[in-house]
Amino acid sequence: MPVIALTQGMGSLAQDVAEKLAADLGLQNMEHEVAARVADKMHVSKSLINRLRSGKAGLIEGLRADKDAMAIYTAEEVLDAAARGNVVIRGWGATQLLRAVPHIPCIRIMRPLEQRVEWLMEKLGTDDRDLARAEIQRSDQANAARMHDQFGVNWGDPVLFDMVLNTERLSVESCVEQIKNLLKRPEFAETQASKTLLQCMALSTRIRVALSNHADTHAVDIATECVDGNVTLRGIVADDAEKAAAVRVVQGVAGVKSVDSQLRAFTDARHFPTNRR
């Protein structure tokens, strides 16, 4: 069940590569659906999610937005889609969220700035080069800032990717063939171990979402370890009530078979670093 993660720089032709790759291999091409699902979970408009991600949100919108919630809901969508398999995921931090999974190639599609400017001018039907250049640079800056804030990485660092393809020199068709060839290599063969790892990553993210969404556990910050649906919880909580609530919430998450609580609670919640009471 192939899964391919691609970057999404404006005008790089990553969309064209993703669409042809999905068509050739019979895969789902996932990109725009994420915004709608994240917006629904956050009870905001899809346009706000897109403005936040593209750097177009106003100051007040940016201050009011729950960026932590957006990050965790995005991770949930990407990891669940990857765990289902047969998908090309473009953007949404997929190349970093899925980098730890050995069978998933993480690929950067790039193109020189001036070619991207020409592309946008054509799409907009304008001869205003300065406008097009400013728009692409703003988009790049938003992508770089988001990747740094969320993952602590430099978005343009080539070592983050298994393959970097330059559409100035390679056609879309050639890029697709290169990726298809990469999928055939033994390094990217899906194994039971890599499949289990991905499933555990997806389950851990669903657990984080469930804890953050529940009134009794929304402030809980604990570590989870998952092995074939058996979950171990580690960390410190405010008191025994919060400890019991965390276990109860995790037990209710789809895919969880058992919960081993190694949580430790303060004897007096008033002493917890962030007072819950």
Side-chain angles (χ1 to χ4, degrees):
M1 297 192 298
V3 179
I4 302 103
L6 301 178
T7 54
Q8 180 182 253
M10 182 184 290
S12 67
L13 303 187
Q15 179 176 348
D16 303 70
V17 172
E19 289 175 352
K20 180 163 179 51
L21 188 61
D24 284 4
L25 297 178
L27 308 178
Q28 177 190 2
N29 182 17
M30 181 176 173
E31 196 271 325
H32 297 296
E33 305 93 319
V34 178
R37 292 170 184 163
V38 171
D40 185 58
K41 291 176 180 180
M42 292 181 65
H43 306 291
V44 299
S45 67
K46 177 181 174 181
S47 62
L48 174 59
I49 298 298
N50 288 330
R51 288 197 303 278
L52 288 167
R53 289 180 50 80
S54 64
K56 291 183 177 179
L59 177 62
I60 301 301
E61 286 182 322
L63 291 174
R64 289 178 176 174
D66 188 341
K67 295 181 181 178
D68 289 339
M70 187 166 73
I72 192 173
Y73 287 139
T74 296
E76 181 184 31
E77 290 295 328
V78 168
L79 287 164
D80 277 348
R84 291 192 297 270
N86 294 320
V87 65
V88 180
I89 307 175
R90 177 168 57 92
W92 298 96
T95 55
Q96 284 302 298
L97 287 167
L98 299 171
R99 181 106 179 96
V101 183
H103 70 260
I104 299 179
C106 298
I107 299 166
R108 182 184 182 194
I109 310 296
M110 62 172 293
R111 201 182 190 197
L113 175 61
E114 288 310 311
Q115 285 196 343
R116 297 162 64 204
V117 170
E118 292 284 350
W119 174 90
L120 185 56
M121 290 170 62
E122 179 182 349
K123 296 298 181 184
L124 295 176
T126 181
D127 58 1
D128 191 336
R129 183 173 295 274
D130 290 340
L131 170 68
R133 182 182 292 106
E135 179 70 9
I136 287 178
Q137 290 175 332
R138 178 204 49 73
S139 176
D140 285 353
Q141 289 167 2
N143 285 334
R146 188 169 58 252
M147 294 297 282
H148 184 271
D149 291 346
Q150 192 170 345
F151 304 107
V153 299
N154 178 354
W155 183 52
D157 189 343
V159 301
L160 299 176
F161 308 98
D162 301 305
M163 178 182 284
V164 178
L165 298 169
N166 181 359
T167 54
E168 177 190 28
R169 296 177 61 83
L170 294 174
S171 67
V172 168
E173 291 75 15
S174 293
C175 289
V176 169
E177 289 305 312
Q178 290 291 327
I179 296 170
K180 287 160 69 174
N181 288 334
L182 190 66
L183 287 170
K184 297 174 184 177
R185 300 300 304 164
E187 295 92 336
F188 295 97
E190 183 181 74
T191 65
Q192 187 56 50
S194 68
K195 183 178 179 180
T196 297
L197 172 61
L198 178 55
Q199 291 171 339
C200 288
M201 290 168 61
L203 180 56
S204 291
T205 303
R206 288 198 298 274
I207 289 171
R208 287 179 58 201
V209 169
L211 289 170
S212 67
N213 282 345
H214 197 284
D216 294 333
T217 57
H218 68 92
V220 167
D221 184 11
I222 57 177
T224 61
E225 298 173 9
C226 305
V227 180
D228 192 28
N230 301 301
V231 179
T232 301
L233 306 180
R234 303 184 191 279
I236 300 173
V237 292
D239 53 27
D240 287 337
E242 194 168 76
K243 176 179 176 180
V247 172
R248 185 172 63 253
V249 169
V250 173
Q251 286 174 331
V253 175
V256 172
K257 297 177 182 177
S258 68
V259 178
D260 176 16
S261 174
Q262 300 294 322
L263 299 174
R264 297 293 179 264
F266 274 68
T267 55
D268 187 339
R270 292 175 299 176
H271 298 151
F272 195 73
T274 53
N275 201 329
R276 302 278 204 269
R277 304 289 181 260

